[in-house]
Amino acid sequence: SPVLVAKDLSVTYKNGHTALSDFTLDVRPGEVVALLGHSGSGKSTLMKAVTGLAPATATQLSVDGTDIPGANAATLRAVRASTGYVFQHFNLVPQLSALTNVLTGGLHSAGPLSRAGLFSRAQREQALALLARVGLADKASARADSLSGGQQQRVAIARALMQGPSLVLADEPVASLDPRLAGSVLSLLRKIAHEDGIPVIVSLHVVDLARRYADRFVALDAGRITHAGPVASLTEDM
Ligand code: ADP
Ligand code: ADP
């Protein structure tokens, strides 16, 4: 069954601007879905609507069976805690180690001791295993700001996985990276989807990257879906 169900999803911001109109998409375990579209086409708005951060109306909008429109604050907190978010600018704490940055990904679900900075041995071991998974076992104690952009983004992905997410939302995760590093980040997201079954929605503005690393695509223009399908059907003008 799908992890994300969006049916006739629309978002109109307070200023009256409609950023997304009648957006329909199901995302199943193990899929990488690329969101394509120019700046301002509604890609970030979709990701925010999924976690209740944008004002959504829909026939249905649910994550892992939880309805988002009308959900109370506690329910939205739980949905955000089970959604891994990866940003364009990584959003690591620069002066903290890679390991500590990964550990903070578990804070949503952690108890008061963890919030005070005392992580359990099990949490540390899990964070170290995730750093190994993203190819950074040897960088656990390196400060985040000493790492390359591609390495920082892989730490950010490990941090998202520390949440034990049922869905990963990656908002332009490679827009700040050169093409070689972009490939290392996107192949990692693909591995997470295909090996762990965690679906990934990734916004991209390079069609060729979608073709290489995603399974399906949805192209947006001014908040509306213009094309969608398997990436094999992508053409340059989408
Ligand atoms: P993308 O991620 O594709 O660049 P966005 O989802 O950020 O697009 O934005 C879609 C449209 O919604 C743009 O026209 C943007 O200016 C507008 N928008 C985004 N956030 C807000 C907001 N909080 N209030 C009003 N308009 C917004
Ligand atoms: P970047 O510029 O690196 O894309 P920002 O720091 O500007 O990232 O954040 C992008 C937006 O994502 C912010 O407006 C923030 O409110 C939103 N955001 C933060 N956490 C989440 C989340 N869990 N789900 C969806 N959106 C989020």
Side-chain angles (χ1 to χ4, degrees), residues 1 5 19 25 27 34 40 57 100 109 138 147 159 197 210 214 224 233 238:
S1 58
V5 178
L25 176 71
V27 181
T57 60
T100 305
S109 51
D138 57 333
L147 301 174
R159 178 182 59 187
R224 290 188 179 276
S233 64
M238 287 178 185

Side-chain angles (χ1 to χ4, degrees), residues 163-224:
Q163 293 173 235
S166 53
L167 173 68
V168 168
L169 302 173
D171 197 352
E172 297 279 4
V174 300
S176 309
L177 301 177
D178 73 42
R180 192 172 45 86
L181 297 179
S184 77
V185 167
L186 291 173
S187 61
L188 177 60
L189 289 173
R190 182 180 166 88
K191 193 166 93 166
I192 286 159
H194 290 187
E195 291 178 6
D196 301 354
I198 303 167
V200 174
I201 301 177
V202 55
S203 59
L204 294 169
H205 55 257
V206 179
V207 167
D208 192 50
L209 289 176
R211 199 184 285 121
R212 246 186 287 172
Y213 296 102
D215 301 307
R216 289 198 290 139
F217 77 97
V218 175
L220 284 173
D221 183 36
R224 290 188 179 276

